[in-house]
Amino acid sequence: MTESAQLTETGPEQRYDVFHTDCPARDVVDHVTSRWGIWVLISLRRNDLRFYELRESIHGISEKMLAQTLRALVKDGLVWREVEPTTPPQVTYGLSEFGRDISEPLTDLFDRITRQLPPRSPA
C-alpha cells in the first residue's frame, strides 16, 4: 500500500521509495555515490580534517569540486562543518553519526576490493 509517491508502508515504520524520482533519499544516495562524495566520506572516517587537509588527502579533486561536494554532504547531514573565526577562517569537517553509519560499509567495500586486486608491481 503506497501512501505517497515517496513513502511506502512496510509495517510499523515507513520507508522511502528510492526508485521514485522525487524521493529525497535518492538525492542523498546520489551525493554519497558521486565521483567525489565517496572519497570525502572515506577520507573523514578516521578523523576530522580541515579543508586543505581534506583536499590534499583526495588526489585529483579541485577546490571547487571539494567545496561543492562538502556543501551537499553537510546539507544531507552526513558531514558537519565547524568554522573558527580566525583570519583566514579555519574550517574543519567531520562525519556526523549518520555519516559514520554510511561510511562504514563503504570502508568495508574498499577493503574487500583492495584485498582482491593483484599485488602492485614496483614502479
Side-chain angles (χ1 to χ4, degrees), residues 99-113:
R100 278 192 291 280
D101 192 39
I102 295 299
S103 69
E104 190 174 309
L106 295 176
T107 302
D108 291 342
L109 173 67
F110 280 92
D111 288 346
R112 288 175 186 220
I113 290 170

Side-chain angles (χ1 to χ4, degrees), residues 31-120:
H31 296 153
V32 168
T33 60
S34 71
R35 174 158 186 206
W36 299 111
I38 199 164
W39 299 115
V40 169
L41 294 173
I42 294 295
S43 293
L44 291 172
R45 75 187 182 275
R46 288 203 174 96
N47 51 3
D48 307 336
L49 296 172
R50 295 195 13 216
F51 184 88
Y52 79 90
E53 293 170 323
L54 196 49
R55 187 186 69 226
E56 290 176 3
S57 73
I58 305 171
H59 295 242
I61 192 169
S62 69
E63 283 190 30
K64 178 183 175 183
M65 285 310 303
L66 179 57
Q68 288 177 354
T69 302
L70 285 167
R71 200 173 301 118
L73 295 174
V74 167
K75 183 181 175 204
D76 292 339
L78 295 163
V79 172
W80 56 260
R81 176 182 190 263
E82 181 181 309
V83 180
E84 295 177 40
T86 59
T87 305
Q90 295 180 351
V91 183
T92 305
Y93 295 90
L95 292 177
S96 65
E97 190 66 38
F98 182 32
R100 278 192 291 280
D101 192 39
I102 295 299
S103 69
E104 190 174 309
L106 295 176
T107 302
D108 291 342
L109 173 67
F110 280 92
D111 288 346
R112 288 175 186 220
I113 290 170
T114 57
R115 280 195 308 267
Q116 294 299 319
L117 290 174
R120 292 181 70 177

Side-chain angles (χ1 to χ4, degrees), residues 9-15:
E9 196 165 323
T10 60
E13 64 182 47
Q14 296 179 357
R15 297 191 156 259

